[in-house]
Amino acid sequence: MLSFLHPELLWLLPLAAAPLLIHLLGHPTPPSLGFPGIRFLRPTPIPIQGRRRWRDLLLMCLRILLLATIILVTASPRWTPQEDQESPPSEELCGQAVLLDASASLQATMGQLTPSLQEIQGAHVAYWEVGAQVRPLSSPSQWSCGWSGAQALPQAFSQANQWLAQFPPGQRILHVFSDLQSADWRRDLGPLPPGTRLLLHTPAQPIRENCGIQQTTVTSAPQNHLRIRVRCRNWGDTPSPREVILSLDGQETRAPLTLPSQGESSTSFLVPVPSNPQGTLRLLPQDDFAFDDQRLFWAKPAPPTPLLAIFSDDPGDTLLSQELEFFCVPALTAEPPEASPAFLLQSLGTSGAPFASWEEFPALLLLGAAERLPPQEMEHLRRYVEAGGVLLAVPGSAPLAGWRHLQSAGLAPQGSAQETHRQTGIGELPPGSPLEKLFPPQASSDLHLFPIRRSLQVETGPEEAQVLLQTLEGAPALLQKPLGKGKCLLFTFGFHTASSDFPLAKAFLPLLRELLEQALGDHSSLRQISCGDIPLPRKDWQGKWIQPEFSTEEPGLHSFGGELVEVIPPPTESLPRYLPAEEAERMLTASSPSLDEGKRSRSREEPGGSLLLPWGGLLLILLFLLEGVWVYPKARRPHAPESPLPPP
């Protein structure tokens, strides 16, 4: 059977008639005009033109055939014998792998997929749960293979591929049950094993205008009270009015809240310290994705978040380090009366950096010390950020050298940078900066009043880093670069008086603390685990290993080795964005061979398949040579002047 790899090119075949069209349009018949002066002359026959007319017709047909051959060769014709045509494999004899998306976003539409799931029968069937964040609605206990849990889609896809590899090509089927939420499909997963048939089962994707509870923060307040702050998010395109209900000690407290489109909003509760610290927050009315409309939390003040500040202990930077420590340490440790501290700050010199356990700190402050760290420590710092840490870097005595060190380690965005001593200041906040909530345009602040005497002129693309602050000239003053699971906050001016008066401004303390609070985000001192994640064993105060004895299938509150643990809904499940089925198939079949192994081996031995392509190329070359042989002698033949009178 003849087929084409690019059949859409066959629509160009009518263009092969272009020589005929040119001939008809370019050779009009001239009109006959009678001229009295030549009426007594005998007409002169021109037999040469008549003899050449059939040659011109053949040449025109040859050119039409040449253009048609070019189009057909470009379309890549293939000849597949009739017995090699694809036929659906027998499901009783082939291996079938089933990937079931067990995420919370699929549970509302799981009933649409249950019949297709129950129809999968055969002697060799294996099942994998993808994510395993909640218990499936129907347990396939009637099947012999049972379920194998997997923590992520790439891991489950790899395990299914390895299992299918034991079956011959053409006898492999991969079933994927998923709602194709884009948060779960963030990278290419292919290739599939050759000869694998992919069946994608997707439910009707609802148009979800989802709202959910993002974060809960509990702090101490005067007179034996707690301040509970709730941050909510609206992923929809329209503003959504909601009511936040706090249930604590058997009492309910309500607060109205309007969530802007594609934005966040917060509300606070002031309540007495409860006897039972287990609290519940709810959003009403609930939407069609009720999984994130409820949050269980510990209603007790969180212990301070540990931070590590690294200063340069080089003798030439003594005064600089003392000045940075004088301004930064009080700004991070100052708290109002009767309030629990938010941060627990520890200081360290660059000479002691190789001996520090950075992984114990969710955030690290590199204050004027980037150029003093050796390359191996910069590499250690990059791995720390990729694992989920937060880095805040401030230039020191050599800003350009420190920036180059950060760039070489991949902590700073690539691009040109130069040092400037031209005085400037902070300009308007760029659109989308998270600091707009802290410094709105209508609020008075000295953020735009202090001078900057020495800074770095950095040029970078928006895909490399986000600009949170910019100077009056529009140059970046503060950059946020995502790296792995963590992020880097990079200032282009220093926190000392030789560089700027920023530490003397009233905006210094709230800006620095807000940056760290937003960057830490889910780094709560109360340990938080997403539903479906497996908590790792840990040591108690006596050094003994403790195994977790609680389930993470559903949200809840647990105690684990003297540590409070909140099992929270997965943040990515709240995003109501879906992939088209075609895009998911492309990701699953990326780089997959178009032929199975049997067809590929036969194409090397039999004169079928892709061998039509070289034969078409040979025909094309032959037609070119034939046209050249035909046209070249006529172009070289001298044309003798024709006499209007016949020879005597």
Side-chain angles (χ1 to χ4, degrees):
M1 179 179 178
L2 183 63
S3 61
F4 295 89
L5 189 60
H6 305 289
E8 64 276 3
L9 296 179
L10 298 180
W11 289 99
L12 300 177
L13 277 177
L15 295 180
L20 178 60
L21 185 63
I22 294 174
H23 173 76
L24 295 177
L25 297 178
H27 296 79
T29 304
S32 299
L33 297 176
F35 186 66
I38 63 171
R39 67 181 182 273
F40 299 106
L41 299 176
R42 288 184 299 174
T44 303
I46 310 177
I48 300 177
Q49 296 295 332
R51 288 195 300 268
R52 287 195 307 184
R53 185 171 302 165
W54 68 273
R55 294 184 178 181
D56 293 339
L57 292 176
L58 288 178
L59 182 60
M60 183 173 59
C61 293
L62 180 64
R63 287 174 174 169
I64 292 175
L65 181 60
L66 179 63
L67 290 177
T69 305
I70 292 175
I71 295 173
L72 290 174
V73 170
T74 308
S76 300
R78 296 174 180 272
W79 177 261
T80 305
Q82 188 68 26
E83 61 272 14
D84 287 348
Q85 298 301 312
E86 280 194 27
S87 59
S90 173
E91 296 184 356
E92 294 294 332
L93 302 177
C94 69
Q96 301 184 72
V98 180
L99 299 185
L100 174 63
D101 182 1
S103 60
S105 59
L106 188 66
Q107 298 308 301
T109 55
M110 187 60 194
Q112 303 178 29
L113 302 180
T114 302
S116 300
L117 187 62
Q118 294 176 345
E119 289 177 359
I120 300 176
Q121 301 290 336
H124 307 285
V125 185
Y127 305 89
W128 281 267
E129 283 183 297
V130 178
Q133 289 160 351
V134 292
R135 185 179 291 107
L137 295 183
S138 58
S139 176
S141 56
Q142 66 271 21
W143 296 311
S144 58
C145 294
W147 289 85
S148 298
Q151 292 304 306
L153 179 61
Q155 179 185 356
F157 185 76
S158 176
Q159 293 178 6
N161 282 351
Q162 294 176 7
W163 188 82
L164 289 172
Q166 62 182 318
F167 298 94
Q171 298 297 322
R172 305 166 180 168
I173 300 179
L174 176 64
H175 299 269
V176 179
F177 292 82
S178 175
D179 58 351
L180 304 181
Q181 190 165 355
S182 57
D184 303 323
W185 297 68
R186 286 173 289 188
R187 60 179 177 176
D188 288 347
L189 304 170
L192 283 172
T196 303
R197 181 184 174 196
L198 174 65
L199 296 179
L200 198 59
H201 308 268
T202 59
Q205 296 169 347
I207 301 175
R208 181 170 290 156
E209 297 287 332
N210 185 43
C211 298
I213 300 174
Q214 284 288 96
Q215 188 180 17
T216 304
T217 306
V218 181
T219 56
S220 299
Q223 300 179 357
N224 200 27
H225 278 63
L226 296 178
R227 187 175 303 278
I228 302 173
R229 184 188 180 197
V230 186
R231 180 163 58 90
C232 303
R233 169 81 181 185
N234 180 12
W235 284 273
D237 296 327
T238 57
S240 179
R242 287 288 194 272
E243 188 177 29
V244 185
I245 301 178
L246 170 66
S247 299
L248 192 63
D249 263 355
Q251 303 292 328
E252 285 192 353
T253 308
R254 299 171 179 259
L257 186 65
T258 300
L259 297 173
S261 60
Q262 299 289 335
E264 299 178 356
S265 186
S266 301
T267 187
S268 297
F269 297 90
L270 187 64
V271 296
V273 175
S275 57
N276 183 6
Q278 299 187 19
T280 305
L281 285 163
R282 290 179 292 143
L283 279 183
L284 289 181
Q286 291 185 337
D287 47 42
D288 61 341
F289 185 66
F291 192 65
D292 58 0
D293 289 337
Q294 180 169 313
R295 186 71 170 260
L296 284 73
F297 70 101
W298 290 107
K300 59 188 307 182
T305 303
L307 303 178
L308 178 63
I310 299 181
F311 300 94
S312 173
D313 53 8
D314 188 90
D317 295 336
T318 302
L319 295 178
L320 171 66
S321 299
Q322 290 177 353
E323 189 173 355
L324 286 171
E325 189 173 3
F326 177 78
F327 287 117
C328 295
V329 173
L332 294 173
T333 56
E335 298 292 343
E338 300 185 12
S340 58
F343 302 110
L344 180 63
L345 188 65
Q346 298 185 27
S347 301
L348 183 70
T350 50
S351 60
F355 310 101
S357 298
W358 296 356
E359 290 74 13
E360 299 177 1
F361 302 90
L364 190 147
L365 282 65
L366 199 59
L367 303 176
E371 62 271 21
R372 302 301 182 186
L373 287 178
Q376 59 269 23
E377 291 306 311
M378 298 298 292
E379 180 68 19
H380 183 194
L381 185 59
R382 182 182 62 81
R383 294 195 301 268
Y384 161 81
V385 176
E386 289 178 340
V390 176
L391 171 67
L392 189 146
V394 178
S397 58
L400 188 58
W403 187 264
R404 297 301 186 198
H405 271 66
L406 293 172
Q407 281 185 327
S408 62
L411 297 168
Q414 298 300 319
S416 61
Q418 59 181 355
E419 188 175 343
T420 177
H421 292 265
R422 183 174 58 186
Q423 182 164 317
T424 183
I426 297 295
E428 296 295 328
L429 295 177
S433 173
L435 298 177
E436 287 181 324
K437 301 176 184 178
L438 187 62
F439 302 103
Q442 65 274 11
S444 59
S445 171
D446 60 353
L447 177 67
H448 310 282
L449 301 180
F450 67 87
I452 299 176
R453 306 180 185 89
R454 182 184 182 187
S455 62
L456 289 169
Q457 293 283 346
V458 178
E459 294 183 3
T460 182
E463 66 281 354
E464 289 278 342
Q466 180 186 6
V467 179
L468 305 187
L469 285 177
Q470 60 186 8
T471 63
L472 293 172
E473 292 81 11
L478 172 61
L479 292 167
Q480 178 175 283
K481 173 183 170 59
L483 184 60
K485 298 181 180 180
K487 62 183 66 175
C488 302
L489 298 170
L490 309 169
F491 282 88
T492 60
F493 62 92
F495 292 175
H496 50 98
T497 52
S499 179
S500 69
D501 285 348
F502 182 41
L504 304 177
K506 294 182 179 179
F508 176 67
L509 187 147
L511 188 147
L512 190 60
R513 295 174 69 98
E514 183 71 15
L515 277 177
L516 289 173
E517 289 178 0
Q518 290 187 2
L520 290 170
D522 295 333
H523 289 77
S524 173
S525 53
L526 297 174
R527 190 179 180 190
Q528 293 181 339
I529 301 176
S530 296
C531 291
D533 290 349
I534 299 178
L536 298 177
R538 57 166 303 176
K539 291 183 178 180
D540 60 5
W541 63 275
Q542 295 179 341
K544 296 181 180 179
W545 287 99
I546 305 176
Q547 299 291 336
E549 297 180 354
F550 56 90
S551 172
T552 61
E553 293 182 353
E554 297 179 356
L557 305 173
H558 309 277
S559 178
F560 180 33
E563 183 183 32
L564 302 179
V565 177
E566 294 180 351
V567 180
I568 61 174
T572 56
E573 285 296 318
S574 302
L575 299 175
R577 303 189 185 102
Y578 301 96
L579 284 180
E582 298 78 11
E583 179 68 13
E585 291 181 3
R586 184 197 65 80
M587 297 174 66
L588 287 170
T589 58
S591 304
S592 292
S594 57
L595 299 174
D596 60 26
E597 295 173 353
K599 293 182 180 179
R600 187 184 299 109
S601 61
R602 283 196 298 269
S603 66
R604 298 191 188 101
E605 301 171 1
E606 300 178 1
S610 60
L611 292 181
L612 287 178
L613 192 60
W615 282 108
L618 291 177
L619 178 60
L620 192 60
I621 295 174
L622 181 61
L623 291 175
F624 271 117
L625 292 176
L626 187 58
E627 184 185 11
V629 170
W630 203 312
V631 175
Y632 184 75
K634 294 198 305 181
R636 299 288 296 172
R637 183 183 301 140
H639 296 277
E642 297 179 355
S643 174
L645 296 176

